[in-house]
Amino acid sequence: AGSEQPFVAHLMELRDRLLYSIYGVIVALIALALYPGPAKLMDWVAAPIRAHMPPDAKLIATGVLSPFIVPLKVLAIAALLLALPWIMFQAWRFVAPGLYKHEKRFVLPLILLGSFLAYAGIAFVQMYVLEHMFAFIQGFTSSSVSAMPDVASYVETILNLYLAFAAAFQVPVVVILAVRFGFVSVAQLRQFRGYALLGAAVICAIITPPDALSMLILLACMMVLYELGIILARFFAPQNSITNSDNKPLEPSAKN
């Protein structure tokens, strides 16, 4: 109606959306606690490293409360991931009243794309990265050494990898937003490939564990996703951002 909501109304709306998000996480937490349960989730998370350990070897718990705390931590992270689309939907509902109709059509696909890419990054870690990372590490382990990793340290390591890859897989969303809001053009993104590679290498060196294999895998993924972002950005670019062969905006001809 052309009117703006007062600041207090925005705070109340934000509170409601945060509560709805928390309720969604609690529902996911209860559902996962009932099936498959914390123990089954812990077995699934430990499967990649168990595949490279002797058949009778197990992860050890050096802390007194670790056998209880670590599965609950895995359960909480799994519930948060399961509720991620609901959380993103609540974020969209919070910003939607301030958007135009064409902007709403633009934001919702990005939220769905971001959620899908986060799941894809985590699945890629579980099904590919951990398998090759532990195989690579075991290749350097002497036969006189028996590897018995601590369960708390292991879970912390893989959760960091989940977070790193879930964040890195958002590269196409970042690229699309940069083009949509006019920070860069598609042609400039192609020209900045070298800088993107350097920046991605620095980010990978910071957020990945101290092994070269996981860093190189993440770097390769980020560059592939960067190219995917360039392709998708063409469909989200503003209509007035058409460029000529010199990568400069076309100017309207002068009136006679």
Side-chain angles (χ1 to χ4, degrees):
S3 61
E4 295 184 359
Q5 293 184 359
F7 180 71
V8 175
H10 287 294
L11 289 180
M12 294 179 64
E13 179 69 15
L14 178 61
R15 179 204 61 187
D16 292 340
R17 297 305 165 190
L18 289 175
L19 288 175
Y20 291 149
S21 299
I22 294 173
Y23 296 154
V25 174
I26 292 175
V27 170
L29 189 68
I30 295 173
L32 290 175
L34 295 175
Y35 182 83
K40 292 293 185 181
L41 286 174
M42 189 66 230
D43 291 340
W44 181 75
V45 168
I49 194 171
R50 288 291 306 278
H52 296 279
M53 297 173 64
D56 56 342
K58 296 181 180 180
L59 298 173
I60 63 173
T62 57
V64 176
L65 298 179
S66 293
F68 175 74
I69 296 297
V70 174
L72 289 183
K73 184 177 181 179
V74 173
L75 176 64
I77 297 298
L80 184 63
L81 293 175
L82 182 62
L84 181 61
W86 174 253
I87 296 172
M88 298 295 289
F89 175 73
Q90 295 304 318
W92 177 79
R93 288 293 302 270
F94 176 70
V95 302
L99 300 177
Y100 292 106
K101 187 175 181 179
H102 69 279
E103 292 174 333
K104 292 180 181 179
R105 292 197 301 265
F106 165 72
V107 172
L108 187 56
L110 282 186
I111 291 177
L112 297 176
L113 177 62
S115 300
F116 170 77
L117 290 174
Y119 286 134
I122 294 171
F124 185 71
V125 171
Q126 183 70 20
M127 298 178 182
Y128 182 83
V129 176
L130 294 179
E131 171 71 21
H132 290 76
M133 185 179 75
F134 292 130
F136 177 79
I137 293 174
Q138 289 296 325
F140 285 90
T141 303
S142 172
S143 59
S144 60
V145 177
S146 178
M148 301 178 65
D150 175 53
V151 63
S153 176
Y154 170 75
V155 168
E156 182 179 357
T157 299
I158 65 169
L159 289 182
N160 289 336
L161 278 174
Y162 288 160
L163 180 61
F165 275 77
F169 270 53
Q170 303 303 312
V171 169
V173 177
V174 175
V175 171
I176 291 171
L177 289 175
V179 172
R180 178 68 182 183
F181 290 109
F183 296 117
V184 292
S185 65
V186 175
Q188 289 173 326
L189 288 173
R190 297 193 185 100
Q191 296 173 358
F192 293 161
R193 283 190 177 100
Y195 298 104
L197 177 61
L198 178 60
V202 173
I203 294 173
C204 293
I206 295 174
I207 65 177
T208 56
D211 68 281
L213 184 62
S214 60
M215 186 188 76
L216 292 176
I217 293 175
L218 181 58
L219 178 60
C221 290
M222 290 185 69
M223 293 311 299
V224 171
L225 292 169
Y226 181 80
E227 297 297 329
L228 176 63
I230 293 177
I231 296 173
L232 295 178
R234 298 175 59 186
F235 300 98
F236 289 91
Q239 294 296 325
N240 58 358
S241 63
I242 301 175
T243 58
N244 59 13
S245 59
D246 295 328
N247 299 326
K248 296 180 181 179
L250 293 174
E251 297 180 356
S253 57
K255 295 182 179 180
N256 294 330

